[in-house]
Amino acid sequence: MLYNSAKDWREAPQKRVMLFGMSGLGKTFVSNTLRDAGWFHYSVDYRIGTRYMGEHIVDNFKAEAMKNPFLADLLRNDSIYIGSNITFENLSPLSTYLGKPGNPDLGGIPFREYTRRQALHAEAETRALHDTVHFINRAKNIYGYDNFVCDTSGSMVEVINAESPADPVMTELCEHVLPVWIEGADSHIEELVRRFAKAPKPMYYQPDFLEQLWSEYLANNALSEPEVNPDDFIRWGYRMLLDHRLPRYRQIADRWGVTVKADDMAMVRSAGDFNELIARTLA
């Protein structure tokens, strides 16, 4: 690990961490807190949605606009501009592009198109994770930031082989950042499931796992693809997705980093609080 003890961490002139875990457990909140305290905040989701998926996202907006004759004419003669206003706090353009499989009348897209977009996201996420090292150097050499936080997406676990000590993403990253898993308790997991049921959002799945979920859902409900309610499908699979990811998060933390309880991370209100929490964890 980059820091092997509380002493290493406290005395380090540059503190560099990568926060990972399920969406909704505080990664971005803590990253924003550190950014306000003078840390450089690198958002993997933002990098995916701007550098690697931005053109796909905007093309999808334009394809929808072209279905409206009035907007289509304006687009053809360059009278209007359509762009993606993605921010660290609002990643809706990226989620909208990923979409949900199922009945198009209910906002779904064909499963083949869905898996194509999933593959694009996987490639983008891998490249954005590798870009962490570039941004560490950029933050220091151009802007003078000593401290750095990488705010990962919940799906980072899906593009990493947690069982392999030679995984290319993690073997590179652990030389430059301390991976910190924010581990939720059972109560947190149930709250995530409750929130997701109220507002289901597009997710990224490991390809084999997605194929398994899709086949099971169609068979269990005796449905064909065009009959699937997109929100029902992703609600049904969300808990299984959590169960799929949690042991792999743990493997990553055990092999390359440290684990912090979500309740402890929720108490962080300043960079000082964060530094002490990491020091206690390393101790």
Side-chain angles (χ1 to χ4, degrees):
M1 286 195 301
L2 190 60
Y3 314 98
N4 291 306
S5 68
K7 184 174 183 290
D8 286 350
W9 171 259
R10 287 194 171 103
E11 295 180 355
Q14 292 180 298
K15 293 177 171 60
R16 303 192 299 260
V17 298
M18 178 183 81
L19 304 180
F20 69 99
M22 284 302 301
S23 296
L25 292 181
K27 296 189 302 295
T28 299
F29 175 81
V30 172
S31 296
N32 286 336
T33 299
L34 295 176
R35 182 179 67 202
D36 291 342
W39 289 50
F40 188 92
H41 178 188
Y42 174 60
S43 168
V44 170
D45 274 329
Y46 183 79
R47 181 69 168 170
I48 292 170
T50 53
R51 174 66 176 85
Y52 295 115
M53 299 286 281
E55 187 172 326
H56 299 295
I57 290 168
V58 172
D59 282 351
N60 190 48
F61 293 163
K62 291 178 179 178
E64 289 300 313
M66 288 296 291
K67 297 175 183 178
N68 181 307
F70 173 70
L71 293 178
D73 284 342
L74 292 173
L75 274 175
R76 287 192 185 99
N77 61 30
D78 293 326
S79 295
I80 60 172
Y81 170 80
I82 294 178
S84 168
N85 193 27
I86 192 168
T87 67
F88 283 16
E89 287 75 28
N90 180 12
L91 300 166
S92 295
L94 178 58
S95 295
T96 300
Y97 178 74
L98 275 179
K100 307 167 188 176
N103 187 338
D105 293 335
L106 299 176
I109 59 176
F111 188 71
R112 172 175 273 186
E113 172 62 12
Y114 183 66
T115 57
R116 186 188 73 84
R117 297 184 187 188
Q118 293 268 307
L120 290 172
H121 188 279
E123 180 182 357
E125 183 149 20
T126 301
R127 295 173 71 178
L129 285 168
H130 278 298
D131 285 348
T132 301
V133 179
H134 166 68
F135 273 88
I136 289 172
N137 295 327
R138 188 181 186 199
K140 176 63 177 175
N141 297 334
I142 298 178
Y143 304 109
Y145 285 93
D146 289 321
N147 302 321
F148 179 95
V149 56
C150 173
D151 177 10
T152 68
S153 73
S155 58
M156 61 83 72
V157 70
E158 306 291 3
V159 299
I160 288 168
N161 184 354
E163 297 179 355
S164 170
D167 177 79
V169 174
M170 289 308 303
T171 53
E172 178 185 34
L173 290 181
C174 70
E175 294 181 1
H176 300 274
V177 294
L178 174 68
V180 178
W181 176 35
I182 303 176
E183 179 187 17
D186 289 345
S187 59
H188 295 109
I189 302 305
E190 294 308 318
E191 175 61 16
L192 291 178
V193 172
R194 186 191 68 79
R195 273 192 265 162
F196 192 86
K198 288 181 64 176
K201 65 177 185 177
M203 304 289 287
Y204 174 76
Y205 306 81
Q206 191 273 334
D208 292 341
F209 182 69
L210 174 60
E211 292 284 352
Q212 175 188 337
L213 283 182
W214 185 247
S215 297
E216 287 183 11
Y217 184 83
L218 294 180
N220 292 347
N221 295 279
L223 295 173
S224 64
E225 178 179 319
E227 297 173 313
V228 171
N229 182 310
D231 284 344
D232 284 350
F233 168 69
I234 61 171
R235 284 192 187 100
W236 174 80
Y238 182 67
R239 183 55 191 256
M240 286 179 277
L241 179 65
L242 293 183
D243 292 341
H244 173 73
R245 287 182 177 179
L246 287 172
R248 300 169 72 193
Y249 286 132
R250 181 171 287 107
Q251 285 179 303
I252 292 170
D254 289 347
R255 188 181 299 279
W256 288 291
V258 297
T259 300
V260 172
K261 300 294 185 184
D263 282 339
D264 292 332
M265 193 64 86
M267 302 299 292
V268 169
R269 292 294 180 270
S270 68
D273 292 345
F274 180 80
N275 288 337
E276 283 306 307
L277 176 58
I278 298 302
R280 290 199 308 270
T281 302
L282 287 167

